[in-house]
CSV table of all heavy atoms in Angstrom, one decimal:
chain,number,residue,atom,x,y,z
S,1,GLU,N,64.7,37.3,88.6
S,1,GLU,CA,65.4,38.6,88.8
S,1,GLU,C,66.9,38.4,88.4
S,1,GLU,O,67.5,39.3,87.8
S,1,GLU,CB,65.3,39.0,90.3
S,1,GLU,CG,65.9,40.3,90.6
S,1,GLU,CD,65.7,40.7,92.0
S,1,GLU,OE1,65.0,40.0,92.7
S,1,GLU,OE2,66.3,41.8,92.4
S,2,ALA,N,67.5,37.2,88.9
S,2,ALA,CA,68.9,37.0,88.5
S,2,ALA,C,69.1,36.8,87.0
S,2,ALA,O,70.0,37.3,86.5
S,2,ALA,CB,69.3,35.7,89.3
S,3,SER,N,68.1,36.1,86.4
S,3,SER,CA,68.2,36.0,84.9
S,3,SER,C,68.1,37.3,84.2
S,3,SER,O,68.9,37.6,83.3
S,3,SER,CB,67.1,35.0,84.5
S,3,SER,OG,67.1,34.9,83.0
S,4,SER,N,67.2,38.2,84.7
S,4,SER,CA,67.1,39.5,84.1
S,4,SER,C,68.4,40.3,84.3
S,4,SER,O,68.8,41.0,83.4
S,4,SER,CB,65.9,40.2,84.7
S,4,SER,OG,65.8,41.5,84.2
S,5,TYR,N,69.0,40.2,85.5
S,5,TYR,CA,70.2,40.9,85.8
S,5,TYR,C,71.3,40.5,84.9
S,5,TYR,O,72.1,41.3,84.3
S,5,TYR,CB,70.6,40.7,87.2
S,5,TYR,CG,71.9,41.3,87.6
S,5,TYR,CD1,72.0,42.7,87.8
S,5,TYR,CD2,73.0,40.5,87.7
S,5,TYR,CE1,73.3,43.3,88.2
S,5,TYR,CE2,74.3,41.1,88.1
S,5,TYR,CZ,74.4,42.4,88.3
S,5,TYR,OH,75.6,43.0,88.6
S,6,ILE,N,71.4,39.1,84.7
S,6,ILE,CA,72.5,38.6,83.9
S,6,ILE,C,72.3,39.0,82.4
S,6,ILE,O,73.2,39.3,81.7
S,6,ILE,CB,72.5,37.0,84.0
S,6,ILE,CG1,72.9,36.6,85.4
S,6,ILE,CG2,73.4,36.4,82.9
S,6,ILE,CD1,72.7,35.1,85.6
S,7,GLU,N,71.0,39.0,82.0
S,7,GLU,CA,70.7,39.4,80.6
S,7,GLU,C,71.1,40.9,80.4
S,7,GLU,O,71.7,41.2,79.4
S,7,GLU,CB,69.3,39.2,80.3
S,7,GLU,CG,68.9,39.5,78.9
S,7,GLU,CD,67.4,39.3,78.6
S,7,GLU,OE1,66.7,38.7,79.5
S,7,GLU,OE2,66.9,39.6,77.5
S,8,GLN,N,70.8,41.7,81.3
S,8,GLN,CA,71.2,43.2,81.2
S,8,GLN,C,72.7,43.3,81.2
S,8,GLN,O,73.2,44.1,80.5
S,8,GLN,CB,70.6,43.9,82.4
S,8,GLN,CG,69.1,44.0,82.3
S,8,GLN,CD,68.5,44.8,83.5
S,8,GLN,OE1,69.2,45.2,84.4
S,8,GLN,NE2,67.1,45.0,83.5
S,9,GLU,N,73.4,42.5,82.1
S,9,GLU,CA,74.8,42.6,82.1
S,9,GLU,C,75.4,42.2,80.8
S,9,GLU,O,76.4,42.8,80.3
S,9,GLU,CB,75.4,41.8,83.3
S,9,GLU,CG,75.2,42.3,84.6
S,9,GLU,CD,75.8,43.7,84.8
S,9,GLU,OE1,77.0,43.8,84.4
S,9,GLU,OE2,75.2,44.6,85.4
S,10,GLN,N,74.9,41.1,80.2
S,10,GLN,CA,75.3,40.6,78.9
S,10,GLN,C,75.1,41.7,77.8
S,10,GLN,O,76.0,41.8,77.0
S,10,GLN,CB,74.6,39.3,78.6
S,10,GLN,CG,75.0,38.1,79.4
S,10,GLN,CD,74.2,36.9,79.1
S,10,GLN,OE1,73.2,36.9,78.4
S,10,GLN,NE2,74.7,35.7,79.5
S,11,ILE,N,74.0,42.3,77.9
S,11,ILE,CA,73.7,43.4,76.9
S,11,ILE,C,74.7,44.5,77.1
S,11,ILE,O,75.3,45.0,76.1
S,11,ILE,CB,72.3,43.9,77.1
S,11,ILE,CG1,71.3,42.9,76.7
S,11,ILE,CG2,72.1,45.2,76.2
S,11,ILE,CD1,69.8,43.2,77.0
S,12,LYS,N,75.0,44.9,78.3
S,12,LYS,CA,76.0,46.0,78.6
S,12,LYS,C,77.4,45.5,78.1
S,12,LYS,O,78.1,46.3,77.4
S,12,LYS,CB,76.1,46.3,80.1
S,12,LYS,CG,74.8,47.0,80.6
S,12,LYS,CD,75.0,47.3,82.1
S,12,LYS,CE,73.7,48.0,82.7
S,12,LYS,NZ,73.8,48.2,84.1
S,13,GLN,N,77.7,44.3,78.3
S,13,GLN,CA,79.0,43.8,77.9
S,13,GLN,C,79.1,43.8,76.4
S,13,GLN,O,80.1,44.1,75.8
S,13,GLN,CB,79.3,42.4,78.5
S,13,GLN,CG,79.5,42.4,80.0
S,13,GLN,CD,79.8,41.0,80.5
S,13,GLN,OE1,79.7,40.0,79.8
S,13,GLN,NE2,80.0,40.9,81.8
S,14,SER,N,78.0,43.4,75.7
S,14,SER,CA,78.0,43.3,74.3
S,14,SER,C,78.1,44.7,73.7
S,14,SER,O,78.9,44.9,72.7
S,14,SER,CB,76.7,42.7,73.8
S,14,SER,OG,76.5,41.4,74.2
S,15,GLN,N,77.5,45.7,74.3
S,15,GLN,CA,77.6,47.1,73.9
S,15,GLN,C,79.1,47.6,74.1
S,15,GLN,O,79.6,48.3,73.2
S,15,GLN,CB,76.7,48.0,74.7
S,15,GLN,CG,75.2,47.7,74.3
S,15,GLN,CD,74.3,48.5,75.2
S,15,GLN,OE1,74.7,49.1,76.2
S,15,GLN,NE2,73.0,48.6,74.8
S,16,VAL,N,79.7,47.2,75.2
S,16,VAL,CA,81.1,47.6,75.4
S,16,VAL,C,82.0,47.0,74.4
S,16,VAL,O,82.9,47.7,73.9
S,16,VAL,CB,81.5,47.3,76.9
S,16,VAL,CG1,83.0,47.5,77.1
S,16,VAL,CG2,80.7,48.1,77.9
S,17,VAL,N,81.8,45.7,74.1
S,17,VAL,CA,82.6,45.0,73.2
S,17,VAL,C,82.4,45.6,71.8
S,17,VAL,O,83.4,45.8,71.1
S,17,VAL,CB,82.2,43.5,73.1
S,17,VAL,CG1,82.9,42.8,72.0
S,17,VAL,CG2,82.6,42.8,74.5
S,18,ALA,N,81.2,45.9,71.4
S,18,ALA,CA,80.9,46.5,70.1
S,18,ALA,C,81.6,47.9,70.0
S,18,ALA,O,82.2,48.2,68.9
S,18,ALA,CB,79.4,46.7,69.9
S,19,GLU,N,81.6,48.7,71.1
S,19,GLU,CA,82.2,50.0,71.0
S,19,GLU,C,83.7,49.8,70.9
S,19,GLU,O,84.4,50.6,70.2
S,19,GLU,CB,81.8,50.7,72.3
S,19,GLU,CG,82.4,52.2,72.4
S,19,GLU,CD,82.0,52.9,73.6
S,19,GLU,OE1,81.1,52.4,74.4
S,19,GLU,OE2,82.4,54.1,73.8
S,20,LEU,N,84.3,48.9,71.7
S,20,LEU,CA,85.7,48.6,71.6
S,20,LEU,C,86.2,48.2,70.2
S,20,LEU,O,87.2,48.6,69.7
S,20,LEU,CB,86.2,47.6,72.7
S,20,LEU,CG,86.1,48.1,74.1
S,20,LEU,CD1,86.4,47.0,75.1
S,20,LEU,CD2,87.0,49.3,74.4
S,21,GLU,N,85.4,47.3,69.6
S,21,GLU,CA,85.7,46.8,68.3
S,21,GLU,C,85.6,47.9,67.3
S,21,GLU,O,86.4,48.0,66.4
S,21,GLU,CB,84.7,45.7,67.9
S,21,GLU,CG,84.9,44.4,68.7
S,21,GLU,CD,83.9,43.3,68.3
S,21,GLU,OE1,82.9,43.7,67.6
S,21,GLU,OE2,84.1,42.1,68.6
S,22,SER,N,84.6,48.8,67.5
S,22,SER,CA,84.5,50.0,66.6
S,22,SER,C,85.8,50.9,66.7
S,22,SER,O,86.3,51.4,65.7
S,22,SER,CB,83.2,50.8,66.9
S,22,SER,OG,83.2,51.9,66.1
S,23,GLN,N,86.2,51.1,68.0
S,23,GLN,CA,87.4,51.9,68.2
S,23,GLN,C,88.6,51.3,67.6
S,23,GLN,O,89.5,51.9,67.0
S,23,GLN,CB,87.6,52.2,69.7
S,23,GLN,CG,86.5,53.0,70.3
S,23,GLN,CD,86.7,53.2,71.8
S,23,GLN,OE1,87.6,52.6,72.4
S,23,GLN,NE2,85.8,54.0,72.4
S,24,ILE,N,88.7,49.9,67.7
S,24,ILE,CA,89.9,49.2,67.2
S,24,ILE,C,89.9,49.3,65.7
S,24,ILE,O,90.9,49.6,65.1
S,24,ILE,CB,89.8,47.7,67.6
S,24,ILE,CG1,90.1,47.6,69.1
S,24,ILE,CG2,90.8,46.9,66.9
S,24,ILE,CD1,89.9,46.2,69.7
S,25,GLU,N,88.7,49.2,65.1
S,25,GLU,CA,88.6,49.3,63.6
S,25,GLU,C,89.0,50.7,63.1
S,25,GLU,O,89.7,50.9,62.1
S,25,GLU,CB,87.2,49.0,63.2
S,25,GLU,CG,87.0,49.0,61.7
S,25,GLU,CD,85.6,48.6,61.3
S,25,GLU,OE1,84.8,48.2,62.2
S,25,GLU,OE2,85.3,48.6,60.1
S,26,ASP,N,88.5,51.7,63.9
S,26,ASP,CA,88.9,53.1,63.5
S,26,ASP,C,90.4,53.3,63.7
S,26,ASP,O,91.0,54.0,62.8
S,26,ASP,CB,88.1,54.0,64.5
S,26,ASP,CG,88.3,55.5,64.1
S,26,ASP,OD1,88.1,55.9,62.9
S,26,ASP,OD2,88.8,56.3,65.0
S,27,LEU,N,91.0,52.8,64.7
S,27,LEU,CA,92.4,53.0,64.9
S,27,LEU,C,93.2,52.2,63.9
S,27,LEU,O,94.2,52.7,63.4
S,27,LEU,CB,92.8,52.5,66.3
S,27,LEU,CG,92.3,53.3,67.5
S,27,LEU,CD1,92.7,52.6,68.8
S,27,LEU,CD2,92.9,54.7,67.5
S,28,ASN,N,92.7,51.0,63.5
S,28,ASN,CA,93.4,50.3,62.4
S,28,ASN,C,93.3,51.0,61.1
S,28,ASN,O,94.3,51.1,60.4
S,28,ASN,CB,92.8,48.9,62.3
S,28,ASN,CG,93.2,47.9,63.4
S,28,ASN,OD1,94.2,48.1,64.0
S,28,ASN,ND2,92.3,46.9,63.6
S,29,ASP,N,92.2,51.6,60.9
S,29,ASP,CA,92.0,52.4,59.6
S,29,ASP,C,93.0,53.6,59.6
S,29,ASP,O,93.6,53.9,58.6
S,29,ASP,CB,90.6,52.9,59.5
S,29,ASP,CG,90.3,53.7,58.2
S,29,ASP,OD1,90.4,53.1,57.1
S,29,ASP,OD2,90.1,54.9,58.3
S,30,LYS,N,93.1,54.3,60.8
S,30,LYS,CA,94.0,55.4,60.9
S,30,LYS,C,95.4,55.0,60.7
S,30,LYS,O,96.2,55.7,60.1
S,30,LYS,CB,93.7,56.2,62.2
S,30,LYS,CG,92.4,56.9,62.3
S,30,LYS,CD,92.3,57.6,63.6
S,30,LYS,CE,90.9,58.4,63.7
S,30,LYS,NZ,90.8,59.1,65.0
S,31,LEU,N,95.7,53.8,61.3
S,31,LEU,CA,97.1,53.3,61.3
S,31,LEU,C,97.5,53.0,59.8
S,31,LEU,O,98.6,53.3,59.3
S,31,LEU,CB,97.2,52.1,62.2
S,31,LEU,CG,98.6,51.4,62.1
S,31,LEU,CD1,99.7,52.3,62.6
S,31,LEU,CD2,98.6,50.1,63.0
S,32,LEU,N,96.6,52.3,59.1
S,32,LEU,CA,96.8,52.0,57.7
S,32,LEU,C,97.0,53.2,56.9
S,32,LEU,O,97.8,53.2,56.0
S,32,LEU,CB,95.7,51.1,57.2
S,32,LEU,CG,95.6,49.7,57.8
S,32,LEU,CD1,94.3,49.0,57.3
S,32,LEU,CD2,96.8,48.9,57.5
S,33,ARG,N,96.1,54.2,57.1
S,33,ARG,CA,96.3,55.5,56.4
S,33,ARG,C,97.6,56.1,56.6
S,33,ARG,O,98.2,56.7,55.7
S,33,ARG,CB,95.1,56.4,56.7
S,33,ARG,CG,93.8,55.9,56.2
S,33,ARG,CD,92.6,56.9,56.6
S,33,ARG,NE,91.3,56.5,56.2
S,33,ARG,CZ,90.8,56.7,55.0
S,33,ARG,NH1,91.5,57.5,54.1
S,33,ARG,NH2,89.6,56.3,54.6
S,34,ALA,N,98.0,56.1,57.9
S,34,ALA,CA,99.3,56.8,58.3
S,34,ALA,C,100.4,56.0,57.6
S,34,ALA,O,101.4,56.6,57.1
S,34,ALA,CB,99.4,56.8,59.8
S,35,LEU,N,100.4,54.7,57.6
S,35,LEU,CA,101.4,53.9,57.0
S,35,LEU,C,101.5,54.1,55.5
S,35,LEU,O,102.6,54.2,54.9
S,35,LEU,CB,101.2,52.4,57.3
S,35,LEU,CG,101.4,51.9,58.8
S,35,LEU,CD1,101.0,50.5,58.9
S,35,LEU,CD2,102.8,52.2,59.2
S,36,ALA,N,100.3,54.2,54.9
S,36,ALA,CA,100.2,54.5,53.5
S,36,ALA,C,100.8,55.8,53.1
S,36,ALA,O,101.6,56.0,52.2
S,36,ALA,CB,98.8,54.4,53.0
């Protein structure tokens, strides 16, 4: 049960990290376009 909980938490954290990375990439792209 603990292992399953940890695995689920890791999946959630990975999803959050992926979403944040996507947002950062999008913001960087907008910033570069604005600078250009």
Side-chain angles (χ1 to χ4, degrees):
E1 184 178 356
S3 176
S4 177
Y5 174 77
I6 293 173
E7 184 178 356
Q8 291 178 357
E9 288 298 318
Q10 290 177 344
I11 293 173
K12 290 180 180 179
Q13 290 178 1
S14 299
Q15 291 175 347
V16 172
V17 170
E19 184 177 355
L20 291 175
E21 289 178 348
S22 177
Q23 292 177 359
I24 291 173
E25 184 178 355
D26 184 57
L27 290 174
N28 284 336
D29 181 68
K30 290 181 179 180
L31 177 61
L32 292 176
R33 290 178 183 274
L35 291 175

